[in-house]
Amino acid sequence: MPVLPELAAVLAAASARTRPEPPGGGPVLREAARGYWDRRGLHGAAGGIAAAPGAQPLLLALIGAHGGDVLMPRPCPAAWMPQARLLGRPAYHVPTPAECGGIPDPYALLETVRRVRAEGGRPKLLLLSVVDDPTATVAPPELVREACEAAVDEGLHIISDETWRDTVHRPRDTVLLSPAEMCPDDVTVIADLSGALVPAAWPVAVARFPDTPRAAVRHARTLDILTALGALVAGPVAHAAAHALGEPDSVRDRIRRAAALQTEVAAAAHRAVLGSGALARPPQAGRHLYADLGPLRSRLADLGVTDSMELEEYLTDRLGAPAPGGHRFGDELGALRVRLGTGPLLGATPQQQTESLAAAKPLELPHVARALDGFAAVFAELR
């Protein structure tokens, strides 16, 4: 999406700031993050906030601040497993329930924890996302509760990635429950602000720690790691991020319009995928959907596509846009799964994208209709 003019002006006004923020962010940015979460029912102090230049260094620091092995759902965001491996931490995937992605199936989680311990492992940390990348689903509150209770009962600390919580397509019809609301002493929440608040080119992410003595120690360790990495938020970016976290009317309006646009376009893309005979959960949030082309295996094999690496190459070439295969998200290589972005369907230029945001009926815009027709044609060839 084009940069919101108000945010661009705020960033420009701070362009003379030559010093980065201190490790973990300065007081203005941390207070803005505290207020952001306070409005979502997650109360706490600004001293329990840490900021970093993007989700990757922040999550790396958080994993580094915790001991033990790491568990995560399958599939999961592409960066999670590599970061655990970079730190030399054993990491394990846990299957997700049929209803959604992002959280582990509670019974599979218990089984995995006990198996890892029986093999001499030390499971200590669970990563999850109730509004999920890559599956674009929102986990039902009852499943979130069961998964979190199972994790806490087994002594796991939870890192809840809530990057996409402000991109829910139908917020009035979707109940979103943060794990930190249920297990406040056992959950650290992180959010990459590029999910809904700032452009991806302005890297900044924030973490909210529990208000406990143990969490204070982990917060200090996280700051030490961010310092060692030199992972400091740029001053102008911090200024713009703090403004966005304050959620002025223009930012709220952009979030609302973007979610409404994605609701229409993602639903149309989902219909095209299902029309080919492939499978996909209905997208509920974010800017993509996750498709399983397993039912089309025979047809794809005729085209030389037998695994997710080849599927990624084939669809990226045919769609003219990145289509990362499921192997990047922890799925098995032989599973014909792929994440399909909806961003390229909104327009090729900032002007077209702005027009899409403003349209009451975006699917009727010529550039959106052409993009959707091309997208549908690629999948129609696979019937």
Side-chain angles (χ1 to χ4, degrees), residues 35-107:
Y36 169 86
W37 273 309
D38 188 73
R39 291 188 295 275
R40 287 153 179 79
L42 302 180
H43 308 297
I49 304 294
Q56 286 86 350
L58 183 55
L59 183 58
L60 186 73
L62 287 171
I63 296 173
H66 289 76
D69 304 348
V70 184
L71 283 76
M72 59 192 74
R74 181 196 300 272
C76 67
W80 285 7
M81 182 63 78
Q83 288 181 326
R85 289 174 175 165
L86 182 63
L87 290 167
R89 299 292 176 81
Y92 304 89
H93 283 294
V94 184
T96 56
E99 294 90 336
C100 64
I103 64 170
D105 178 88
Y107 296 102

Side-chain angles (χ1 to χ4, degrees), residues 23-25 29-30 33 37 45-52 58 61-62 189-191 204-209 218-220 222-223 226 233:
L29 177 57
R30 288 187 285 109
W37 273 309
I49 304 294
L58 183 55
L62 287 171
V189 180
I190 65 171
V204 58
V206 289
R208 174 194 176 276
F209 289 76
R218 290 169 176 162
H219 181 270
T222 299
L223 297 187
L226 292 174
V233 181

Side-chain angles (χ1 to χ4, degrees), residues 12-368:
S15 61
R17 298 188 177 195
T18 58
R19 293 183 179 180
E21 294 279 284
V28 174
L29 177 57
R30 288 187 285 109
E31 175 58 28
R34 184 208 62 77
Y36 169 86
W37 273 309
D38 188 73
R39 291 188 295 275
R40 287 153 179 79
L42 302 180
H43 308 297
I49 304 294
Q56 286 86 350
L58 183 55
L59 183 58
L60 186 73
L62 287 171
I63 296 173
H66 289 76
D69 304 348
V70 184
L71 283 76
M72 59 192 74
R74 181 196 300 272
C76 67
W80 285 7
M81 182 63 78
Q83 288 181 326
R85 289 174 175 165
L86 182 63
L87 290 167
R89 299 292 176 81
Y92 304 89
H93 283 294
V94 184
T96 56
E99 294 90 336
C100 64
I103 64 170
D105 178 88
Y107 296 102
L109 175 63
L110 292 173
E111 180 181 343
T112 302
V113 168
R114 290 162 188 170
R115 174 177 58 81
V116 170
R117 285 183 177 145
E119 295 172 353
R122 296 171 51 246
K124 293 292 185 181
L125 192 62
L126 171 65
L127 309 184
L128 53 76
S129 53
V130 292
V131 184
D132 184 41
D133 171 15
T135 65
T137 58
V138 179
E142 60 274 15
L143 286 178
V144 177
R145 181 179 297 277
E146 290 174 10
C148 291
E149 288 178 348
V152 172
D153 287 347
E154 291 296 331
L156 303 181
H157 186 76
I158 298 168
I159 295 179
S160 175
D161 186 343
E162 300 183 10
T163 292
W164 301 100
R165 69 172 296 152
D166 294 324
T167 70
V168 172
H169 294 173
R170 293 183 172 86
R172 294 185 178 180
D173 301 327
T174 306
V175 179
L176 196 164
L177 186 63
S178 170
E181 296 179 69
M182 295 178 294
C183 309
D185 294 343
D186 299 289
V187 178
T188 299
V189 180
I190 65 171
D192 188 331
L193 302 194
S194 67
L197 293 172
V198 302
W202 304 357
V204 58
V206 289
R208 174 194 176 276
F209 289 76
D211 186 16
T212 66
R214 178 177 295 182
V217 172
R218 290 169 176 162
H219 181 270
R221 290 177 182 168
T222 299
L223 297 187
D224 287 343
I225 296 171
L226 292 174
T227 302
L229 293 173
L232 310 177
V233 181
V237 171
H239 190 61
H243 183 81
L245 284 164
E247 298 179 288
D249 290 343
S250 62
V251 171
R252 288 179 179 270
D253 182 67
R254 167 59 69 87
I255 291 172
R256 179 186 61 79
R257 287 179 179 274
L261 174 60
Q262 290 292 346
T263 300
E264 298 288 333
V265 175
H270 182 246
R271 289 192 294 270
V273 170
L274 295 185
S276 72
L279 304 174
R281 295 186 182 101
Q284 298 174 283
R287 302 187 284 265
H288 49 263
L289 64 152
Y290 199 62
D292 183 352
L293 277 65
L296 308 177
R297 185 175 293 276
S298 296
R299 170 62 176 149
L300 287 167
D302 292 339
L303 298 170
V305 176
T306 60
D307 61 30
S308 64
M309 289 181 66
E310 294 169 346
L311 180 62
E312 174 183 309
E313 183 178 356
Y314 174 81
L315 287 178
T316 296
D317 178 64
R318 299 290 290 130
L319 294 170
H327 60 284
R328 297 187 182 275
F329 308 104
D331 265 329
E332 295 178 357
L333 181 62
L336 294 173
R337 299 190 181 113
V338 63
R339 192 182 74 175
L340 302 164
T342 54
L345 304 175
L346 308 181
T349 66
Q351 292 77 14
Q352 289 182 341
Q353 294 163 1
T354 300
E355 188 179 357
S356 298
L357 273 172
K361 297 181 178 180
L363 301 188
E364 297 180 5
L365 293 173
H367 64 269
V368 174

